[in-house]
């Protein structure tokens, strides 16, 4: 199964449809790797640094979304993070993101990934866009079926 291309195409389609500057998909590595989270695919990226980012549960944007199973809405990175804490958010730093949203991607009642949409200008991420991103995640992407236990 050629999922890598499916995810890539899907990210590019979503990015274009919603007008994001940057879209990325982080997936959880299996248990033998201590459940680390890696950014696997991106569209609109400035470079390939995202591929080298490895996060533990609770660290970075993907790690927090993974651990809590809750979305993160950041209309202003500087207000949310602060300039001196940017190093804790490598995807934000390497892609120069200024506003973003990240949502959990569920698969069979477990968080299996994180979908991030971002902009390189402040205040472009809106609550309406967050709702759209969450609705998209609930439908599922690729092999991730979007199902969570209520």
């Amino acid at each position: 199964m050629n999922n890598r291309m499916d995810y890539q195409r899907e990210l590019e389609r979503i990015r274009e449809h919603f007008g994001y500057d940057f879209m990325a998909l982080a997936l959880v590595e299996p248990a033998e790797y201590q459940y680390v989270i890696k950014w696997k695919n991106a569209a609109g990226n400035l470079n390939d640094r995202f591929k080298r980012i490895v996060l533990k549960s609770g660290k970075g944007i993907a790690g927090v979304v993974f651990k809590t199973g809750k979305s993160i809405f950041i209309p202003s990175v500087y207000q949310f993070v602060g300039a001196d804490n940017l190093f804790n958010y490598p995807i934000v730093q390497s892609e120069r993101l200024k506003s973003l949203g990240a949502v959990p991607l569920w698969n069979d009642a477990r968080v299996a990934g994180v979908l991030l949409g971002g902009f390189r200008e402040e205040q472009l991420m809106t609550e309406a866009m967050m709702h759209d991103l969450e609705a998209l995640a609930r439908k599922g992407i690729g092999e991730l079926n979007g199902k969570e236990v209520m």
Side-chain angles (χ1 to χ4, degrees):
M1 194 177 299
N2 195 352
N3 255 2
R4 183 172 291 288
M5 281 316 293
D6 291 349
Y7 286 133
Q8 190 62 41
R9 231 185 334 251
E10 189 68 6
L11 282 181
E12 287 165 7
R13 188 187 66 74
I14 296 165
R15 178 177 165 261
E16 209 168 281
H17 178 79
F18 291 106
Y20 288 109
D21 291 334
F22 176 75
M23 286 290 319
L25 172 69
L27 295 172
V28 178
E29 297 282 324
E32 61 263 28
Y33 302 110
Q34 282 85 43
Y35 291 108
V36 296
I37 301 140
K38 290 184 174 182
W39 294 103
K40 295 291 190 179
N41 296 80
N45 43 310
L46 297 173
N47 53 55
D48 280 344
R49 281 189 211 141
F50 73 90
K51 293 178 180 172
R52 293 196 300 269
I53 298 170
V54 178
L55 302 164
K56 290 187 168 54
S57 179
K59 301 291 180 203
I61 288 169
V64 171
V65 172
F66 172 73
K67 184 176 183 176
T68 63
K70 303 220 179 313
S71 300
I72 292 181
F73 171 50
I74 305 176
S76 166
V77 164
Y78 294 115
Q79 288 174 1
F80 180 84
V81 175
D84 38 350
N85 275 327
L86 269 181
F87 68 92
N88 287 317
Y89 301 91
I91 195 81
V92 170
Q93 213 171 8
S94 70
E95 289 298 329
R96 298 191 203 116
L97 301 176
K98 303 274 194 303
S99 84
L100 62 100
V103 297
L105 287 168
W106 293 83
N107 193 54
D108 295 333
R110 298 179 71 179
V111 178
V114 175
L115 183 65
L116 180 145
F119 295 98
R120 295 189 178 94
E121 287 179 50
E122 295 264 320
Q123 308 295 336
L124 289 183
M125 189 70 190
T126 64
E127 286 192 35
M129 291 188 89
M130 266 314 286
H131 292 301
D132 289 343
L133 201 58
E134 288 169 336
L136 189 80
R138 277 193 295 276
K139 288 181 191 157
I141 293 177
E143 283 188 339
L144 306 178
N145 62 26
K147 291 179 176 47
E148 67 178 291
V149 173
M150 294 298 183

